């Protein structure tokens, strides 16, 4: 009888351990919304588990770790870093994620390889919130309106390679309605300057206009700002517009008044084929 009780007790403990282990797995696996530190970009972090090892994938990066005795997820991350990276996370380092009591968010810490201390910026994350039924109905209505608009108002084709007077070679790819990507590159005083641009077909008042390419940019020297280009000036193979640079922190703090830099840009399309957007 005592032997049977011991067996049942051991069996019960194994079941509890199994439930606890499975709960820990479910605590971390799945999709998280997280902001890459410093540039504050919201991205998806997808975590999977295999034999006690957790693997997370996020844009241009990957992490791998295990759960410690406190339930924290600890390990190492690696990233592919380009010249425009402003996160401060480096190419690799350590991470530690501490999950909240409700299991719906975590506080994240990271340590860049070669540095002794955990960085002051947090690598936090939270579970994405599913839309309510009312929100889903509204989203479906907006999708239908958008679909009808696209059908009746095809996007003017900005896609191609353009040569400009001020920003060198300008590559544009219209990925879809109100989603346009672009790059430019030129040499100034022997230094190659490159930039990424993202935008859409709405003006500064939010009104849709297919002849407008409006958005923000960030160049390889850290300068950033907004732009507004007009298609068809004077022909369908030309554009013209302005790039407005944000003032730097030093300029803001300077006792000398600074006027934000603004340049006028003109471009002529040399090719309508989709350019290679993986290279400048």
């Amino acid at each position: 009888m005592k032997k049977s009780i011991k067996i049942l007790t051991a069996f019960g403990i194994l079941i509890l351990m199994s439930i606890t282990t499975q709960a820990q797995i479910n605590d971390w696996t799945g999709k998280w919304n997280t902001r890459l530190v410093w540039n504050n970009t919201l991205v998806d972090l997808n975590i999977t588990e295999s034999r006690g090892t957790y693997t997370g994938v996020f844009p241009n990066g990957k992490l791998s770790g295990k759960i410690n005795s406190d339930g924290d997820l600890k390990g190492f991350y690696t990233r592919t870093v380009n010249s425009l990276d402003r996160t401060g996370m480096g190419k690799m380092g350590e991470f530690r994620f501490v999950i909240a009591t409700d299991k719906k968010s975590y506080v994240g810490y990271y340590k860049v390889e070669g540095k002794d201390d955990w960085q002051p910026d947090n690598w936090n994350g939270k579970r994405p919130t599913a839309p309510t039924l009312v929100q889903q109905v509204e989203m479906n209505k907006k999708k239908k309106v958008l679909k009808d608009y696209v059908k009746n108002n095809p996007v003017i084709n900005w896609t191609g390679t353009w040569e400009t007077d001020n920003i060198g070679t300008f590559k544009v790819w219209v990925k879809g309605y109100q989603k346009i990507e672009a790059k430019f590159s030129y040499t100034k005083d022997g230094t190659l300057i490159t930039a990424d641009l993202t935008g859409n077909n709405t003006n500064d008042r939010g009104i849709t206009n297919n002849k407008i390419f409006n958005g923000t940019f960030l160049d390889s020297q850290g300068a950033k700002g907004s732009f507004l280009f007009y298609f068809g000036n004077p022909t369908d193979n030309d554009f013209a517009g302005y790039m407005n640079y944000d003032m730097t922190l030093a300029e803001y703090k300077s006792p000398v008044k600074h006027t934000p830099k603004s340049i006028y840009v003109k471009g002529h399309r040399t090719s309508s084929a989709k350019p290679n957007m993986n290279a400048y």
Side-chain angles (χ1 to χ4, degrees):
M1 181 69 178
K2 290 182 179 180
K3 186 177 181 180
S4 299
I5 293 174
K6 288 182 179 179
I7 292 174
L8 288 173
T9 301
F11 184 65
I13 291 172
L14 288 173
I15 291 176
L16 288 174
M17 290 176 63
S18 176
I19 292 173
T20 302
T21 301
Q22 190 61 41
Q24 285 184 325
I25 291 172
N26 292 335
D27 286 347
W28 286 107
T29 57
K31 181 182 289 187
W32 299 85
N33 290 150
T34 181
R35 292 188 181 278
L36 295 181
V37 293
W38 285 26
N39 71 351
N40 205 32
T41 303
L42 184 66
V43 299
D44 287 340
L45 168 62
N46 293 292
I47 298 179
T48 57
E49 183 272 343
S50 177
R51 297 181 180 179
T53 297
Y54 292 79
T55 301
V57 179
F58 55 94
N60 299 322
K62 187 175 182 180
L63 57 82
S64 179
K66 293 180 179 293
I67 296 176
N68 65 12
S69 58
D70 295 324
D72 302 341
L73 183 59
K74 296 185 65 177
F76 298 87
Y77 67 85
T78 57
R79 301 175 63 244
T80 301
V81 180
N82 59 39
S83 60
L84 296 177
D85 183 69
R86 298 292 181 270
T87 64
M89 297 174 68
K91 292 183 178 180
M92 60 182 64
E94 296 180 51
F95 74 91
R96 178 167 65 94
F97 294 163
V98 181
I99 202 162
T101 304
D102 62 5
K103 314 299 183 184
K104 294 181 179 179
S105 64
Y106 69 80
V107 177
Y109 305 91
Y110 74 101
K111 183 193 298 183
V112 181
E113 183 186 39
K115 295 187 178 181
D116 297 329
D117 301 323
W118 295 93
Q119 299 302 297
D121 302 277
N122 287 354
W123 187 2
N124 299 341
K126 62 180 181 179
R127 292 288 189 186
T129 304
T132 65
L133 181 59
V134 173
Q135 289 173 328
Q136 189 63 55
V137 170
E138 288 301 314
M139 288 170 60
N140 291 339
K141 286 181 180 179
K142 290 179 180 179
K143 286 180 180 179
K144 185 178 185 307
V145 171
L146 180 59
K147 185 177 180 180
D148 291 341
Y149 180 89
V150 173
K151 181 178 179 182
N152 298 319
N153 299 273
V155 176
I156 289 175
N157 188 12
W158 282 83
T159 294
T161 302
W162 310 68
E163 293 301 326
T164 73
D165 57 344
N166 275 327
I167 56 175
T169 301
F170 186 52
K171 298 179 179 181
V172 185
W173 177 29
V174 180
K175 298 183 67 174
Y177 174 70
Q178 291 196 348
K179 189 166 186 180
I180 307 176
E181 291 184 358
K183 296 176 180 289
F184 70 71
S185 62
Y186 64 94
T187 301
K188 181 179 180 181
D189 299 329
T191 301
L192 176 65
I193 299 176
T194 62
D196 286 338
L197 302 86
T198 56
N200 53 44
N201 294 117
T202 58
N203 62 19
D204 54 4
R205 299 187 303 278
I207 299 174
T208 300
N209 183 337
N210 287 339
K211 290 193 173 185
I212 287 175
F213 180 16
N214 180 39
T216 58
F217 68 90
L218 174 66
D219 74 19
S220 54
Q221 295 189 326
K224 60 181 180 178
S226 60
F227 65 90
L228 181 61
F229 297 150
Y230 292 90
F231 184 93
N233 187 0
T235 74
D236 285 349
N237 284 317
D238 297 278
F239 77 84
Y242 287 90
M243 293 182 62
N244 301 306
Y245 287 75
D246 295 342
M247 283 196 292
T248 65
L249 182 60
E251 289 173 335
Y252 272 116
K253 292 183 175 181
S254 173
V256 180
K257 184 178 180 180
H258 287 269
T259 301
K261 176 183 174 183
S262 180
I263 63 172
Y264 182 68
V265 180
K266 292 192 297 183
H268 180 77
R269 178 157 46 195
T270 56
S271 172
S272 296
K274 177 191 169 184
N276 179 4
M277 301 303 290
N278 294 321
Y280 289 95

